[in-house]
Amino acid sequence: MAKDELDWTADPFHTRFEPRPNGSILLQPQGALPEYPARLMDWLAHWAGVAPERTLVARRVHGGDWKNVSYCEMLDRVRRVAAGLTIRNLSEQRPILIMSGNSIEHLLLSFAAMWVGIPFCPMSPAYSLASADLDRARYVIDLLTPGLIAAFDTPSFARTLMRVVARDIEIVGDAAIADRGVTTLTALESPVTSELDARHRATNHDTITKFLLTSGSTGQPKVVITTNRMVCSNAVMQRQSMPFLVNEPPVVVDWLPWSHTFGGSHILGLVLSNGGTLYIDDGKPSPTGIAETIRNLREISPTVYFNVPKGFEMLAQHLREDDGLRRRFYRRLRAYFFAGASLAQHTWDALDAMSLHERRLKTPMLSGLGATETGPAVTFTTPAMGRTGVVGLPVNGSLVKLAPVDEKLEMRVRSPSVTPGYWRQPALTAAAFDDEGFYRLGDAVRLLDHNDPARGLVFDGRIGEDFKLSNGSWVSVGPLRAELIAQLAPIAQDVVVACPDADYLTALIVPDVAACARALGLSHTPSHEEIARDAVIKDKLQAGLREHAWQNAMSTRHIRRAHLLPSAPSLDHGEITDKGSINQRAVLRNRAQLVAALYASVRPADVIDINDP
């Protein structure tokens, strides 16, 4: 038996299923959750003592060579920066707001804040860099009332800093802007004193580490309180779900933004708790950003690799075409992990085939289900559960309830990794929990196999996205979207399904611009408008929709008409997040005219209809 297989023999998912008279089902893992430290920074101190010279984090300097920071070096600077923070008027009421993306400086400041119990909030850089009106940045600042704002690569954030940040708020960064003073991290440092140590010891499980912003799919972002208890317990849960972490410090090459829970809690928690090394990837899964990711993976072989489905799709294409990259990538890889959406089966199959070629075994593809409010993971999969759509079972420490809602089962959870609530939003907090104290995820799940519950749960869509057609039949939007994306791959990036009370289903299709360019043999990057007009692309989509309709005859299971989005989804209008995920409600609200055209008695020429000859 291969060493990789031996690592997976410890199964944390011995779960008792308890049907209840009210129609709900309790899922209770039978093992105990191991002890976890009182604070996330205890792991920094531990590994600085056990492996002081091991690299904790590395990033390329101005796109050149890697700059490495060891555990010992990080701890030393964290304490000095933390000492500087204690002499400022900072607290839960006046936290730190970090506007910029992933960087060594960002990590240092956030660790220093956690060291002394000052909450920080990593805000999506897109709120500053990709927003025209800066409304979301204003909203976050007004709600949090920060006492210090950090922006590394400071000139890039000058517009937001000058237009939105009051002059009495201190700015920390790496370069001056206009007539505003900017404090460098070095200038922020102060001598370490016994008072600093006392303040550190006063932090505990319930100390707020950070405020995380939700994607704002139903309006403005909610501010999720995140505590030491949440991130530490979830890190231990991850270790149970990936047994190889116990014996082998993880090496991670990652781009996922720390303003989101997947990158900022899940991945950072895994690296720090297990004494691992994080290589910050300044690439991303986009036509221009993927080149940097590939460059980094040519040099660094990860032991576990995280990405969103689009990232895996783009990576698979490069691995298929580059023998050297493929050998380097699989050299010591123990698992992949995806989140954010379902992974297309053709991408999964391609990765399996390449892993078999390089390693003579399939590398486990892992996933789970969770939310910003749950620290983030509630369920995890094992290699045996590896198939698209399966989200696993709860690991020790999480009690899950499946509650009947609108003909589906909503996942709800009680766990040490669940948030106490939303900051300064008591009504939202009250609505988020049911009468038994379970957090409502809003995600529906079902058992893959009722005769064998150990095979895991399957994602069954977002409760709030489902609707009824005019005949009263429910439309399960999440699974339908996943099927359509798989059917229309690779030229469709996403599909927005419409609409309630209609006689039939229609869709707005978000094109994958790079894939469309390849399909058309273009040397330039086409606009969304150009793609929406192209007869070749429309014919391919019509053929895909027809094939899907032939396999799914029910009116709730196929799309009759569709329209390609003639412009890119808008961040300012809430249609897209900086991770690229689509907000269905916002797209339908903002593109109401396009939706109306899909139901017009006289069909516009640019609408795709499966019944056209």
Side-chain angles (χ1 to χ4, degrees):
M1 184 179 290
K3 182 177 185 293
D4 301 66
E5 295 173 302
L6 286 170
D7 285 342
W8 297 100
T9 55
D11 182 2
F13 302 113
H14 298 297
T15 304
R16 185 178 75 233
F17 291 76
E18 180 187 327
R20 305 167 85 194
N22 63 1
S24 66
I25 303 171
L26 288 182
L27 278 62
Q28 173 69 68
Q30 294 303 285
L33 183 67
E35 289 188 13
Y36 48 89
R39 52 192 74 83
L40 187 65
M41 289 299 96
D42 288 355
W43 274 313
L44 176 61
H46 169 78
W47 291 110
V50 171
E53 301 308 315
R54 182 183 300 160
T55 296
L56 164 58
V57 63
R59 188 189 183 199
R60 294 189 186 277
V61 179
H62 303 303
D65 294 334
W66 294 99
K67 175 183 177 181
N68 297 271
V69 178
S70 70
Y71 276 87
C72 185
E73 291 169 330
M74 179 61 80
L75 177 60
D76 179 59
R77 286 213 70 192
V78 160
R79 284 163 54 80
R80 285 186 277 129
V81 172
L85 295 177
T86 62
I87 62 177
R88 287 161 167 81
N89 181 25
L90 301 173
S91 65
E92 293 178 1
Q93 305 303 319
R94 288 172 50 81
I96 297 169
L97 178 65
I98 304 178
M99 289 185 173
S100 46
N102 303 3
S103 68
I104 293 172
E105 295 78 12
H106 181 145
L107 195 65
L108 168 60
L109 182 59
S110 61
F111 281 4
M114 283 189 275
W115 191 265
V116 288
I118 298 170
F120 69 98
C121 175
M123 185 176 76
S124 169
Y127 289 6
S128 298
L129 303 180
S131 173
D133 56 26
L134 302 179
D135 279 353
R136 287 203 169 185
R138 287 190 181 89
Y139 171 82
V140 171
I141 291 172
D142 289 346
L143 181 59
L144 286 178
T145 60
L148 183 149
I149 291 180
F152 305 104
D153 187 20
T154 313
S156 297
F157 295 85
R159 180 174 70 109
T160 306
L161 293 169
M162 298 300 293
R163 290 175 55 182
V164 178
V165 179
R167 297 192 69 85
D168 61 344
I169 298 178
E170 184 177 10
I171 296 172
V172 170
D174 48 28
I177 52 166
D179 61 343
R180 292 294 298 268
V182 175
T183 305
T184 65
L185 278 173
T186 300
L188 192 63
E189 295 178 8
S190 287
V192 173
T193 65
S194 58
E195 181 184 347
L196 176 74
D197 295 333
R199 184 156 173 177
H200 172 65
R201 287 193 300 271
T203 62
N204 56 39
H205 280 136
D206 297 315
T207 300
I208 298 174
T209 58
K210 59 183 172 181
F211 298 118
L212 281 174
L213 305 173
T214 65
S215 61
S217 59
T218 57
Q220 291 288 14
K222 297 188 285 288
V223 179
V224 179
I225 299 169
T226 305
T227 64
N228 274 312
R229 186 187 307 278
M230 290 171 64
V231 292
C232 291
S233 63
N234 214 256
V236 172
M237 293 174 189
Q238 285 190 77
R239 188 181 298 159
Q240 287 192 300
S241 74
M242 290 184 264
F244 65 86
L245 294 171
V246 175
N247 300 316
E248 183 179 16
V251 175
V252 176
V253 181
D254 188 66
W255 69 273
L256 286 151
W258 297 341
S259 52
H260 291 266
T261 189
F262 188 22
S265 294
H266 188 92
I267 295 172
L268 282 180
L270 175 140
V271 170
L272 188 60
S273 63
N274 294 287
T277 299
L278 172 65
Y279 289 88
I280 297 174
D281 176 13
D282 286 321
K284 64 190 309 184
S286 69
T288 55
I290 191 64
E292 181 64 16
T293 293
I294 298 306
R295 177 193 179 196
N296 294 332
L297 291 174
R298 289 187 199 283
E299 297 184 19
I300 310 298
S301 299
T303 61
V304 56
Y305 188 71
F306 299 91
N307 217 322
V308 295
K310 183 61 181 176
F312 276 112
E313 180 184 328
M314 299 183 79
L315 174 62
Q317 179 184 342
H318 285 270
L319 292 172
R320 192 182 298 114
E321 299 169 353
D322 190 325
D323 294 350
L325 172 67
R326 192 170 59 247
R327 282 193 297 272
R328 171 70 76 169
F329 181 71
Y330 283 107
R331 185 171 69 86
R332 57 182 179 184
L333 189 70
R334 311 301 300 281
Y336 331 82
F337 195 109
F338 73 91
S342 293
L343 184 67
Q345 192 62 52
H346 70 88
T347 300
W348 197 315
D349 293 343
L351 292 168
D352 277 350
M354 289 184 284
S355 179
L356 282 167
H357 181 269
E358 292 297 329
R359 305 182 63 216
R360 304 295 184 264
L361 54 82
K362 292 181 181 179
T363 300
M365 176 64 79
L366 306 177
S367 190
L369 185 65
T372 307
E373 292 88 342
T374 60
V378 176
T379 65
F380 295 91
T381 61
T382 64
M385 298 176 186
R387 57 170 287 176
T388 187
V390 176
V391 297
L393 290 170
V395 76
N396 296 330
S398 292
L399 177 62
V400 164
K401 177 169 68 174
L402 307 185
V405 177
D406 293 336
E407 301 184 12
K408 289 192 173 184
L409 292 173
E410 180 189 25
M411 181 181 284
R412 301 178 182 180
V413 61
R414 288 200 313 233
S415 168
S417 69
V418 171
T419 181
Y422 301 109
W423 185 245
R424 295 175 174 169
Q425 296 167 310
L428 292 176
T429 298
F433 295 86
D434 70 12
D435 56 0
E436 294 183 294
F438 285 83
Y439 172 74
R440 309 170 189 259
L441 273 84
D443 292 314
V445 296
R446 57 181 173 80
L447 285 171
L448 175 64
D449 185 345
H450 284 272
N451 297 317
D452 185 8
R455 295 185 66 191
L457 300 166
V458 177
F459 179 67
D460 202 22
R462 292 284 296 168
I463 296 287
E465 289 181 349
D466 292 351
F467 58 81
K468 287 183 179 181
L469 289 176
S470 58
N471 63 9
S473 300
W474 276 102
V475 178
S476 184
V477 173
L480 177 58
R481 280 180 62 215
E483 289 177 13
L484 291 168
I485 292 168
Q487 179 71 52
L488 303 177
I491 57 177
Q493 176 183 319
D494 213 324
V495 176
V496 178
V497 179
C499 75
D501 302 321
D503 295 335
Y504 56 89
L505 292 177
T506 63
L508 298 176
I509 298 174
V510 183
D512 185 310
V513 173
C516 289
R518 289 194 299 270
L520 297 173
L522 299 177
S523 58
H524 69 282
T525 301
S527 67
H528 280 69
E529 185 177 6
E530 185 179 349
I531 293 169
R533 292 196 309 263
D534 191 274
V536 173
I537 295 296
K538 288 160 69 174
D539 286 347
K540 287 179 179 291
L541 292 172
Q542 184 192 48
L545 291 172
R546 277 179 174 167
E547 175 67 20
H548 182 266
W550 182 80
Q551 297 173 12
N552 301 273
M554 292 176 59
S555 61
T556 58
R557 299 286 297 121
H558 72 265
I559 301 298
R560 185 183 300 183
R561 288 181 174 181
H563 200 304
L564 276 155
L565 284 193
S567 59
S570 165
L571 177 77
D572 280 338
H573 297 144
E575 295 179 338
I576 192 170
T577 72
D578 57 334
K579 284 199 304 183
S581 58
I582 299 295
N583 178 347
Q584 301 273 306
R585 291 182 185 177
V587 171
L588 292 173
R589 181 179 64 248
N590 298 335
R591 315 282 181 140
Q593 226 173 348
L594 287 180
V595 175
L598 291 171
Y599 291 96
S601 55
V602 179
R603 180 182 58 80
D606 50 357
V607 167
I608 302 165
D609 193 315
I610 63 171
N611 295 319
D612 277 356

